[in-house]
Amino acid sequence: MTTGPPGAPASRATRAAIAAVAFALVLAGCSVRATVHVVMRADGSGTVQAAVLLDTDAVQAAEAGAATLQQRVRLADLHTAGWAVSPWVTTKTGGATLTVTKHFTSPDQVAGIARELSGPTGPLRTLTATRDTAWLGLGHRARVDVVVDLHDAQPGVTTDQQLVTRLAGQHVDVNAINLQLVDQLRHSFSVQVVAQLPGRRQTVIVPPGSRRQLRATATALDTTRVALLGAALVLVLLAGLVAWRARRRPRPRRRPAHAP
């Protein structure tokens, strides 16, 4: 990962941003679609990317009162937490897409990134990645495990004290908003998860109110180790050939000694 270990500040910032978008969706009574794309390269590094698509009604609700999406959804804290945040992109139908991306250098960092993205009670109940040796050390086995729960997931609004304080200061009924978001998650929120590993790509689509699991595995040769092993074998064969030729070479005959 390009930043330090995942922590509570990043998680709070992400959940606050997601909640701000979700409030507009609840008010608009429309659906939302999210795509989570996990890419792991052969060396174990990669990216976790999440894209949220708002339709026209959601954008209009978020921009009510002459506000803009950039003003409604403040994402500056995500930059500080190491996320790359794209600008809002307007679709041809009047909707908008937001994409956030975070890099990792080791698969064991993926679980922490997922917690930043979804929180402990969010839709991503499990998102982990591993990379182990295979084929007697000549290759690596990459694996991504994902569990998405859109039935029992909670938006986590009431558990984020910082967000509760901000909403209460604006005279917002936090419990009512939380209940609306729970209903939104179960009936109007769908998720697509894509796991892209070396030589393999798997996708799962999770409809509203359902639970799905994805296990993606791919095994690939470690070309560096194979090349080193091949070079070592060539050297061993050359050494054996040299020794064999040395043994086969005829020895010079001794000249008979002359009698006195």
Side-chain angles (χ1 to χ4, degrees):
M1 198 161 52
T2 56
T3 62
S11 180
R12 286 197 298 269
T14 308
R15 291 203 300 275
I18 293 174
V21 175
F23 295 157
L25 298 176
V26 170
L27 295 174
C30 56
S31 61
V32 59
R33 187 173 62 204
T35 299
V36 178
H37 195 175
V38 184
V39 178
M40 181 161 35
R41 293 182 282 269
D43 62 357
S45 65
T47 57
V48 175
Q49 183 179 87
V52 179
L53 174 63
L54 312 184
D55 65 10
T56 306
D57 292 336
V59 173
Q60 291 176 351
E63 295 181 340
T68 64
L69 282 174
Q70 290 78 7
Q71 293 171 334
R72 290 293 192 196
V73 186
R74 300 182 183 277
L75 302 171
D77 290 342
L78 292 179
H79 291 285
T80 305
W83 289 85
V85 182
S86 72
W88 285 98
V89 178
T90 303
T91 66
K92 295 181 179 179
T93 58
T97 301
L98 174 71
T99 303
V100 296
T101 307
K102 194 161 190 176
H103 296 269
F104 60 87
T105 57
S106 175
D108 57 12
Q109 297 169 335
V110 172
I113 294 176
R115 285 193 297 271
E116 292 181 3
L117 186 62
S118 183
T121 61
L124 287 178
R125 291 304 174 90
T126 301
L127 175 52
T128 59
T130 58
R131 179 175 177 267
D132 304 308
T133 57
W135 295 333
L136 300 177
L138 296 181
H140 287 94
R141 182 179 296 106
R143 177 170 172 170
V144 171
D145 289 292
V146 185
V147 175
V148 179
D149 188 345
L150 298 181
H151 183 268
D152 296 326
Q154 298 288 327
V157 175
T158 57
T159 60
D160 191 328
Q161 191 56 48
Q162 182 180 0
L163 182 58
V164 169
T165 302
R166 287 171 58 186
L167 293 175
Q170 299 174 3
H171 306 288
V172 175
D173 189 337
V174 177
N175 291 325
I177 287 292
N178 192 70
L179 290 175
Q180 286 179 301
L181 290 176
V182 169
D183 183 72
Q184 185 78 8
L185 283 172
R186 292 182 180 178
H187 296 96
S188 304
F189 186 62
S190 63
V191 176
Q192 176 180 264
V193 180
V194 180
Q196 187 169 331
L197 305 175
R200 190 176 185 86
R201 178 188 175 102
Q202 287 185 235
T203 302
V204 62
I205 297 176
V206 188
S210 63
R211 177 187 173 100
R212 295 287 188 276
Q213 184 175 12
L214 172 66
R215 289 184 176 178
T217 305
T219 305
L221 283 174
D222 187 325
T223 56
T224 301
R225 292 189 178 184
V226 171
L228 291 175
L229 179 61
L233 289 175
V234 169
L235 291 176
V236 170
L237 290 174
L238 288 176
L241 180 61
V242 170
W244 177 79
R245 293 190 64 180
R247 289 195 300 268
R248 296 279 296 178
R249 185 180 301 165
R251 297 180 180 180
R253 296 181 179 180
R254 294 183 179 179
R255 296 181 180 181
H258 295 282

